[in-house]
Each structure stands twice: as C-alpha cells, then as structure tokens.
C-alpha cells in the first residue's frame, strides 16, 4: 500500500489531485478555528473545558462531531457540512413525492445539475435557520449547561440585533464556502468532496477523545483503558468493513437479439444488493429525531411532568428508554429509506425493456415481487446491524468515560469506513489505469 502511495505521488496528474485535496483540507481545518465576530473566545474556551469535564457537548454532540468540534467553539465553519447533508436528504426524499423532481432526476445530467442547484439553495436556507438557532442558544447561555452562569452569559457580550445578524451571516457564508470547497474537491481532487470533508471533521476529534480516555483512566495510569478502546475500535472497523462489502448478487441474463445482420445481447450480469443498502442515513435520521423532544424542552423552559420525563429518560444515551427508541427508529428508517431509494418495479421494467430476466423468474411483475422479497430479507440483518453498531460502541465506551459523540461511536465508524473505502477504490482505479497495479498485490 505504501508503494502504491509512492507511485501515486510519482504520477504528475494524480499527485496534483492529491495535493489539491490536501490543500482544501488544510483550509477547511483552518476555518474551523477562526471564531465568529462578536464571540468572546476566552469565555468559549472556558466553557468548553467545563463541558469536557462534564462529559459531552449535550444536545449538540452529533452536529459538533460533524463540524469537527467547530460548533461548540462558534467558529465561521461552526455549522460545517450538516446543512448540506440535511438538504441532500430532504431533496432525495422529495424526489419520490414531487413528480417534477422525479422527472428532473430522469433527465440525466441536466436534471441532476438542476437538483444540485436546488440543494444549494436549500443548504443556504437551512444554514440561516441553524445559524439563528445557534446564536440564540449561545445568547441565552443554553449552549453550555455545565458552565457557570457568569461565564456562559458572556459568551456573546453584545446581544444587539446588529451583532446577531453579523454572526448569522458569517456562519451562513462559512457553510456556503464549505459547500464550495467540497465541490472543488469533487471536480479537481480525489473522491467525493463532501464525504472527504465529513471524514476529516470526524477524524479531527480522534486524538483529543482518545487522550481524554487515557487521562480519565485508572488502570496503569489510563493506558489499559486506552489500549482496550483502541482494540474495540479496530474490531468495530473490521466488522463494518466486512458488512459494508457484503452484497447479494442476483444473476441477470440478457437474451440475444438480431438487429439487421448483427447479434446483440446474450450477456450475463448481476444486480448487487448490499446488506446495508441505506448506509448511515437511518442513524442520522434517528439521531436527529431523538434530538427534537429534548430541544423542545430546552427552548420552552417548561418544568412540567412531561418535560421532566423527557429530560430524565430521552436525553442521556445510556438510558433504557432512549436505547430502545433509538434502536427501533434505526430499524424503521432503514426499511423506509430502502423502500424509497430502490424501486423493484422500475428495475423489473427496465430489465424487461432490454430483454433481461432472472433465471427461473418470469419477466415483469414476478421479477419485481422476487426483488422486493430478496430486498426485505436482506434489509432485516442490515437494519439490525446498523442498530447494534450505533448502540454497542456507545454503551461499551461509556464505561471508560467517553462522551456520547466519541469518534469510535457507531455513526462515525460507519461514515469513516464508507468514505475511506470509496476513496481508496477511486485512487486504486486511477493507479490501475496507469500502472495496472492496485493497492493490494
């Protein structure tokens, strides 16, 4: 693998792409440390120290992880890539519901470009909403619950409308720039730009979280806990790689057709159905949905019985009610997303149109029913695997004092492994085009 990297840097075209991607990553991480105008940097750092001692970033832990820690530091890239992810998921769901978007999707490259443009507009709109919410939370002092009132009330010393507007505009512009950087990487660099930036954001939290576990450990000055966490992390990565690569290949045979004097078709191929067809999206959906009740309680300030019940049972990740609800939501969203992203009737019609059939299955409706049956059978283990991956590391690592948004948690492992595999495959394919040798000999 190291020799393959050496060959990649020896190839001028590939070296230029790799260096360009590394340059964008440096700019992205630099912006994640520049504070927004109007924020007291000293008070923010003091509150972050209190939050780290208390154990987590609270309700904003998931978004903070996706922003590489920039959210709680209230920097210009505080919102990170999250508005774009949310906008992409919303557009993908609306494509099934709105006929106009579905027609655009079928138009090919021009339709895809139009949907991408809508995604950008929606990203900016979501950035304005999320930026306003973040500034309002920082002004009220609710961003850092563990911080003393005298300090957290002065995170934003000037609470005027002008200062608030400047902060929201700055964070929205930061989100637009992150989106632009991601598209630059996609066009001129290696891999999918948005995925690469998400990968870097999550990986940026690894060293600090690992060292925090070592410092909080009690066995052999924390080194035993540190080693156990590393081993658990490698085991989880190995399991995720194994399942993410697993797929059910349904054989498809194309009949021979005579057009003029030439014969076409007669080839055999397969339809790859992945065990985890939905990827990490069900985990993100479930996490976002579980944040809503706690956010309602936090912003309403209610002390009624229902508010206390939510605060006691649906906020901490180690509570049984939270665990069961989280698991069931992941399973539900896994089936829901697979149902809207893979259409067996459409696949069966396309196969029938081009003379394809599954051996032993009649073309048309029986093929669609067979594909639907296989997809449901595969989605069950895939959804259960997602639920276990999302919960088991969090529960196990909680015993070592790790926060709920620890990088070796389920969501981060799924994203890092998925992005890593795709990026390595892309580099490997480009190496094969030039040297006919991949990463592995």
């Amino acid at each position: 693998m190291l020799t393959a990297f050496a060959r990649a840097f020896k190839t001028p075209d590939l070296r230029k792409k790799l260096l360009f991607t590394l340059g964008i990553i440096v700019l992205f991480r630099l912006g994640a440390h520049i504070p927004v105008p109007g924020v007291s940097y000293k008070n923010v750092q003091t509150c972050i120290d209190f939050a780290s001692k208390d154990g987590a970033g609270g309700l904003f832990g998931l978004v903070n992880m996706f922003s590489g820690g920039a959210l709680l530091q209230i920097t210009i890239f505080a919102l990170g890539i999250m508005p774009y992810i949310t906008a992409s998921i919303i557009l993908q769901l609306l494509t099934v519901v709105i006929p106009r978007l579905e027609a655009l999707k079928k138009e090919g490259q021009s339709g895809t470009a139009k949907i991408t443009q809508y995604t950008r507009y929606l990203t900016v709109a979501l950035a304005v909403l999320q930026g306003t919410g973040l500034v309002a939370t920082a002004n009220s002092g609710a961003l850092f619950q563990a911080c003393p009132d005298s300090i957290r009330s002065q995170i934003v010393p000037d609470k005027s409308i002008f200062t608030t507007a400047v902060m929201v505009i700055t964070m929205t512009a930061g989100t637009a720039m992150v989106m632009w950087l991601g598209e630059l990487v996609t066009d001129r660099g290696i891999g999918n730009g948005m995925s690469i930036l998400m990968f870097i954001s999550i990986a940026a939290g690894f060293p600090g979280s690992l060292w925090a576990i070592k410092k909080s450990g009690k066995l052999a000055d924390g080194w035993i806990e540190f080693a156990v966490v590393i081993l658990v992390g490698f085991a989880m990565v190995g399991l995720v790689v194994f399942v993410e690569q697993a797929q059910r290949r349904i054989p498809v045979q194309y009949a021979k057709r005579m057009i003029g004097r030439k014969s076409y078709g007669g080839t055999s191929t397969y339809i790859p159905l992945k065990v985890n067809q939905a990827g990490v999206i069900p985990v993100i959906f479930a996490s976002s949905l579980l944040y809503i009740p706690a956010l309602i309680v936090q912003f309403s300030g209610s002390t009624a019985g229902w508010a206390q019940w939510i605060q006691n049972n649906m906020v901490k990740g180690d509570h049984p009610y939270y665990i069961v609800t989280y698991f069931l939501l992941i399973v539900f969203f896994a089936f829901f997303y697979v149902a809207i992203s893979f259409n067996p009737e459409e696949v069966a019609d396309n196969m029938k149109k081009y003379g394809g059939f599954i051996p032993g299955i009649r073309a048309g409706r029986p093929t669609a029913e067979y594909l639907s049956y296989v997809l449901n059978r595969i989605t069950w283990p895939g959804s259960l695997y997602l639920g276990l991956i999302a919960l088991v590391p969090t529960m196990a690592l909680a015993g070592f004092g790790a926060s709920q948004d620890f990088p070796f948690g389920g969501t981060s492992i799924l994203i890092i492994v998925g992005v890593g595999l795709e990026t390595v495959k892309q580099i490997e394919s480009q190496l094969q085009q030039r040297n006919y040798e991949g990463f592995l000999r």
Side-chain angles (χ1 to χ4, degrees), residues 73 132 166 225 236 245 259-260 263 291 312 318 341 367 376 414 424:
Q73 296 189 29
T132 305
V166 169
E225 288 89 343
M236 297 307 298
Q245 298 287 79
I259 301 178
S263 174
Y291 279 138
N312 294 333
D318 55 354
S341 62
T367 299
N376 285 332
L414 288 168
V424 166

Side-chain angles (χ1 to χ4, degrees), residues 38-274:
V39 173
S40 172
Y41 180 78
K42 180 181 178 182
N43 290 338
V44 168
Q45 295 304 313
T46 304
C47 287
I48 287 176
D49 291 338
F50 276 102
S52 62
K53 291 175 184 176
D54 192 54
L59 294 172
F60 305 95
L62 181 71
V63 184
N64 188 54
M65 181 184 72
F66 280 120
S67 66
L71 177 79
L72 294 182
Q73 296 189 29
I74 319 180
T75 65
I76 60 173
F77 289 169
L79 302 178
I81 204 74
M82 204 62 181
Y84 182 85
I85 296 171
T86 309
S88 300
I89 293 173
I90 291 173
L91 259 297
Q92 198 166 5
L93 295 176
L94 290 179
T95 302
V96 184
V97 180
I98 301 176
R100 169 62 179 162
L101 292 176
E102 190 174 1
L104 281 175
K105 187 179 179 182
K106 293 179 180 179
E107 285 182 9
Q109 189 173 358
S110 61
T112 304
K114 200 71 177 175
I115 293 176
T116 303
Q117 189 176 0
Y118 293 154
T119 306
R120 291 170 185 158
Y121 293 151
L122 184 57
T123 299
V124 173
L126 289 174
V128 172
L129 290 175
Q130 293 181 15
T132 305
L134 178 59
V135 173
T137 308
N139 281 336
S140 65
L143 189 61
F144 297 99
Q145 297 286 349
C147 194
D149 292 339
S150 59
I151 299 177
R152 66 180 181 174
S153 62
Q154 292 300 313
I155 288 178
V156 184
D158 183 9
K159 296 178 175 58
S160 64
I161 296 177
F162 177 77
T163 303
T164 301
V166 169
M167 292 175 68
V168 173
I169 291 171
T170 302
M171 282 189 278
T172 304
T175 299
M177 186 173 180
V178 169
M179 183 170 57
W180 178 61
L181 292 176
E183 291 180 355
L184 281 179
V185 172
T186 303
D187 294 338
R188 301 173 57 184
I190 290 290
N192 182 286
M194 301 302 175
S195 300
I196 293 289
L197 295 184
M198 196 190 310
F199 177 97
I200 296 300
S201 296
I202 296 173
F206 268 61
S209 298
L210 288 171
W211 192 248
I213 286 180
K214 189 267 175 191
K215 288 172 67 177
S216 63
K218 299 177 181 178
L219 301 175
D221 199 22
W223 288 110
I224 300 294
E225 288 89 343
F226 182 83
V228 169
V229 168
I230 292 291
L231 291 175
V232 169
F234 277 120
M236 297 307 298
V237 168
L239 174 63
V240 171
V241 170
F242 177 77
V243 178
E244 290 296 317
Q245 298 287 79
Q247 56 182 223
R248 167 74 185 276
R249 296 181 175 182
I250 298 178
V252 177
Q253 185 73 34
Y254 284 92
K256 286 187 177 181
R257 294 180 297 167
M258 294 297 295
I259 301 178
R261 295 183 177 181
K262 292 185 178 181
S263 174
Y264 294 90
T267 59
S268 60
T269 181
Y270 60 86
I271 301 174
L273 296 180
K274 293 181 66 176

